[in-house]
Amino acid sequence: GHIYSDATCTDFEAKGMFRLSGTNGNSGFYFRANHPASDPDGFPRGYEAQICNSQDAYTGWLWKPGTPTGKPTSALMTKDGEWFTYKIKVVGNHIQFWINNKLVMTYDDEEYTSGHFAIQGHNPGMKIEAKKLYYRVISR
């Protein structure tokens, strides 16, 4: 499932610490995301900063609904059971991700322009933890 924030953003910088544990962990930090109108429990329409250590499209990938889209420049840098920082910056169509303060992904895309933040728990039996979450609006 997904836990949505009340806040919505267009241009922003967000940062938090995340940890995956359990079996088959697969999660994500969504941004510019909205509930699908036809199924409020379905996958958000928006962008996802992938959090996953068990598949080819690992932590650091940018996803659009169901599709790995922006590939990170570094190989898997996170491990189950260990905290890591994720920073996301989005201004206009320019999207950037940092993991543990290292820039790992840059991508330009115009499909989603505004929406909520959300955290995903994708697979049964897995656990996602998040702390020190914050965002700030960037005005152009």
Side-chain angles (χ1 to χ4, degrees):
H2 300 86
I3 299 171
Y4 288 84
S5 70
D6 288 334
T8 60
C9 280
T10 300
D11 295 334
F12 65 89
E13 181 178 275
K15 190 172 182 178
M17 295 184 70
F18 298 90
R19 178 168 65 180
L20 273 177
S21 53
T23 305
N24 201 21
N26 182 353
S27 184
F29 183 74
Y30 282 79
F31 54 96
R32 290 186 176 176
N34 294 286
H35 300 275
S38 60
D39 179 10
D41 294 326
F43 286 95
R45 307 308 298 169
Y47 299 109
E48 176 187 2
Q50 176 76 324
I51 301 172
C52 182
N53 301 318
S54 61
Q55 65 184 35
D56 290 340
Y58 46 82
T59 302
W61 275 86
L62 171 69
W63 281 65
K64 287 171 54 171
T67 307
T69 303
K71 183 177 182 177
T73 56
S74 296
L76 182 63
M77 297 176 291
T78 61
K79 296 179 183 174
D80 288 347
E82 293 182 5
W83 288 100
F84 67 93
T85 60
Y86 220 145
K87 178 179 158 186
I88 298 147
K89 184 176 181 181
V90 181
V91 178
N93 71 344
H94 194 65
I95 303 166
Q96 295 176 294
F97 294 170
W98 287 260
I99 296 176
N100 294 329
N101 299 315
K102 179 180 180 186
L103 180 64
V104 298
M105 198 286 309
T106 300
Y107 196 82
D108 292 328
D109 190 271
E110 300 178 347
E111 186 166 357
Y112 303 104
T113 58
S114 183
H116 299 269
F117 298 106
I119 296 177
Q120 175 193 60
H122 192 281
N123 297 334
M126 61 149 290
K127 180 179 177 182
I128 177 71
E129 296 174 86
K131 64 182 182 179
K132 298 182 181 179
L133 298 173
Y134 82 88
Y135 75 96
R136 68 178 180 97
V137 174
I138 298 173
S139 56
R140 291 191 273 166

